[in-house]
Structure formats: C-alpha cells, structure tokens
Amino acid sequence: MPPAAPSPILRRRRLGVELRRLREAAGLTGDQVIERIGWASASKLSRLENGRSRPDPQDVGDLLNLYGADQAVRDELLGITSEAGDMRGWLKNFPVMTQQQRSWAELEAGCAEISEYNPTLVPGLLQTPGYAQVRIVSARQVGAGAGEPEPDDEPETEVQARLARQSLLTREPYAPRYTAVLEEAALGRRAGPPEVLHEQLLQLCELALLPNVTLHVLLRDTQIGNWYLPPTAFSVYRFADPLDPETLAIEGGFTDVMSTEAITLNRYKVVFEWLCTAALNASDTLSWLIEATGRLTEAVPPSTVAFGPATAPTQRRRDSGRLTDR
C-alpha cells in the first residue's frame, strides 16, 4: 500500500512556494509578472503563490514560460497542478467529513510526523467518541448563546468525521510518527462525566503502546523553560515529501491559523521541545495514565467499564505494530 497522497490543499501550497521561488530567481516583482502576462486581476498571482486558489494549468504554464523553467521543473510543477485541482477525487476518501474536520484531514494526509500540544483538550486524533461528543455539543452551546445559526450537520456526523481522521495513526505501513503533550488539566474532571473520562484514559493507555505514538503528560505545577507559559494549542506537520513545506496550525478558541513561515515554525518547534522536556517521559506518562484510570474507576458504574480493571492496558503487547490481548 503506497503512502497516503497529499491533499489538493497541500499541493496548492507546494505549488505556490515553488512559483514564488521561480519568480524571485527570475528577478521579477508581482506587478511585473501581472503586466507581462496580461492578467486582469492583480490578486491572481498572490492567490496562486499563497495556495488560496485552484490553479489553472494554462496559468501555471504561462508563469513557467515567463520564468524560463526547464523541462524537468515544468513536468514536476504541472503534475502538482493536476493534483492540486483534483478536489473531488480526494474527497471520496472522506464521505462523512464536515468542513472543519476536512481542513484538519487535509493537513494530516501524507504526513510523516505530527507534533501536537493542547492546554485544555485531548487532541482530536486521540479522542474517544464520547469525549468528542461532549466537546462538540458544548462548543455548539457557546455558538447558540452567541446567536449563531444551528449547524446543518448532526453532532454524530462530526464525531464520525473525527474517527475517520484517527485511522491514520494505525495506517500500515505508513502511519505517521505522532507525538502529543497533554496537559493534566485536559484529563481532569472538568472535561466531562466520569464514564467519558474513564473511557478516554483507557484509550490513551492503549494508544501510548503503539510504536509510532509518543504521549507526554504535563503536570499542573511543572515549570517550562524559564517560566514559559504556552498561550495556545498548536500542531506542527512534517510531510513525507521533503519538498512539501512544514505547516504550523495554531488553534484558537474559535478560529485557526495556518503558517509555513520558517521563523514562526521554528519558534513553535522550540516551544514543543521545552514542553516535551518538562513533561513526563513516555514510560512515566503511561504509568500516570493507568493510575488516573484507576482513580476514576471507582466513580464509574460497573456497567460502563468496558475494559475491566484499570491495569488492563498493561496486559496488552505489541504484535507487528498492533495491540493484541494475551
């Protein structure tokens, strides 16, 4: 099975980076390009270079002619242009995706490595259906209180979309390397009913045993660097194709920001290293998760405990990258 293909959105970003590089190498400004090609819209080139529009092969060909690109570069970039326009074919892989979930799936497709930090929530790729349902419903209540219209899709659709994204963590043989730093507060009792948190902790115990997954719990009173306080959730994506630009996603309360700028990316990489250093290592994190599961077991009715006692995750072993019961 080949690696998952990058999404059309990622292809557009890659194409934009290459077109900008060729323009700068040719010593041309954006205004000069627009004038020489004769485009009516001054923003057309900007949208192409920023990956914000579906590229037309003729437009890309005109730019390559102007920049004097050789045949190898032309073949490569026109191939990327074709992939960038095939949105319909790519979306067939995600029939239940909502628009918000699709935007994250587009980043995750073709990833070789994902690094995530969230100060208040368990990241979406790790969430159980119950935890995801609580998060989605509570967020919609905020929207309703602000007078926003009710979303067309049902919460269950959003949950299924999140679960569809999670399959990449067990994709064989090209699952990405995934590392997450989880704040202790994200796993506390403010996050949901005891039975929901119990199920979530059990799942984290199992995911922590996957060979491509590394989890770190950051305890409440742990000092980060020189008293650094991370201001927001963020994720860093590195792709299988080394020429695809690394991407940073900064997750705000109600809006998300994407960036491929090296300076911004490097700052967040440094922060992520600080977080991993300050947090519990992978082994101690698993022990912490098992103990936390045990503490919650007493608060959960017996009928809702799906996997037996809290020590059940330690009775599982790896077998060719999978988890199997002894």
Side-chain angles (χ1 to χ4, degrees):
M1 177 180 175
S7 76
I9 300 300
L10 180 60
R11 298 282 82 181
R12 292 178 191 180
R13 290 177 181 160
R14 164 78 175 279
L15 178 65
V17 169
E18 295 297 330
L19 290 176
R20 184 184 302 111
R21 181 183 63 80
L22 289 172
R23 174 176 60 78
E24 292 172 348
L28 296 172
T29 66
D31 289 340
Q32 289 172 329
V33 170
I34 295 296
E35 180 181 356
R36 295 188 187 186
I37 293 183
W39 286 345
S41 172
S43 63
K44 188 172 184 177
L45 180 64
S46 176
R47 292 198 304 271
L48 272 174
E49 290 188 352
N50 288 295
R52 294 176 181 169
S53 63
R54 179 177 177 178
D56 181 271
Q58 182 62 52
D59 291 339
V60 174
D62 289 342
L63 291 173
L64 296 176
N65 289 337
L66 178 62
Y67 301 153
D70 62 31
Q71 191 60 47
V73 171
R74 290 181 63 87
D75 291 344
E76 178 187 11
L77 294 189
L78 287 174
I80 291 176
T81 300
S82 176
E83 295 172 349
D86 187 21
M87 181 66 77
R88 180 177 299 179
W90 190 81
L91 291 180
K92 289 180 181 179
N93 296 322
F94 301 99
V96 299
M97 281 292 175
T98 61
Q99 184 57 47
Q100 183 182 29
Q101 291 297 319
R102 187 175 296 133
S103 66
W104 293 111
E106 287 166 353
L107 275 175
E108 293 156 359
C111 266
E113 186 174 351
I114 302 173
S115 303
E116 294 198 286
Y117 165 74
N118 196 307
T120 57
L121 304 175
V122 173
L125 287 176
L126 306 176
Q127 293 178 6
T128 63
Y131 188 97
Q133 179 92 5
V134 170
R135 302 278 66 78
I136 293 163
V137 171
S138 62
R140 291 188 177 194
Q141 290 173 344
V142 173
E148 297 173 4
E150 186 73 18
D152 294 334
D153 53 284
E154 295 296 323
E156 289 75 14
T157 302
E158 187 85 0
V159 171
Q160 291 303 312
R162 204 161 295 191
L163 296 180
R165 287 170 49 211
Q166 293 176 3
S167 63
L168 93 161
L169 292 181
T170 53
R171 184 178 64 206
E172 293 184 354
Y174 294 103
R177 180 69 187 170
Y178 180 86
T179 304
V181 176
L182 311 173
E183 286 274 5
E184 181 180 0
L187 304 171
R189 301 201 180 192
R190 289 174 56 192
E195 62 273 17
V196 170
L197 295 178
H198 184 266
E199 181 185 34
Q200 180 64 73
L201 286 165
L202 280 172
Q203 177 156 302
L204 291 174
C205 289
E206 295 193 348
L207 289 170
L209 294 175
L210 291 175
N212 58 305
V213 173
T214 302
L215 302 182
H216 299 282
V217 167
L218 184 61
L219 301 181
R220 285 186 180 90
D221 297 328
T222 301
Q223 179 182 339
I224 305 167
N226 190 21
W227 302 104
Y228 181 78
L229 294 176
T232 186
F234 65 90
S235 305
V236 177
Y237 302 88
R238 186 174 63 80
F239 301 97
D241 187 336
L243 295 180
D244 285 333
E246 280 188 285
T247 300
L248 167 71
I250 303 172
E251 187 176 348
F254 303 100
T255 58
D256 303 320
V257 177
M258 309 293 176
S259 176
T260 57
E261 293 186 359
I263 293 177
T264 304
L265 266 162
N266 289 336
R267 287 175 177 171
Y268 279 86
K269 286 181 177 179
V270 169
V271 170
F272 194 75
E273 289 180 5
W274 287 354
L275 291 167
C276 289
T277 299
L280 298 176
N281 63 34
S283 177
D284 290 343
T285 288
L286 180 58
S287 298
W288 187 95
L289 290 170
I290 292 171
E291 291 174 5
T293 304
R295 291 193 296 270
L296 265 179
T297 299
E298 299 176 359
V300 178
S303 61
T304 65
V305 178
F307 298 100
T311 55
T314 61
Q315 298 173 351
R316 297 174 177 265
R317 61 182 175 87
R318 296 177 189 170
D319 182 8
S320 301
R322 294 176 177 269
L323 290 178
T324 57
D325 291 327
R326 284 191 180 185

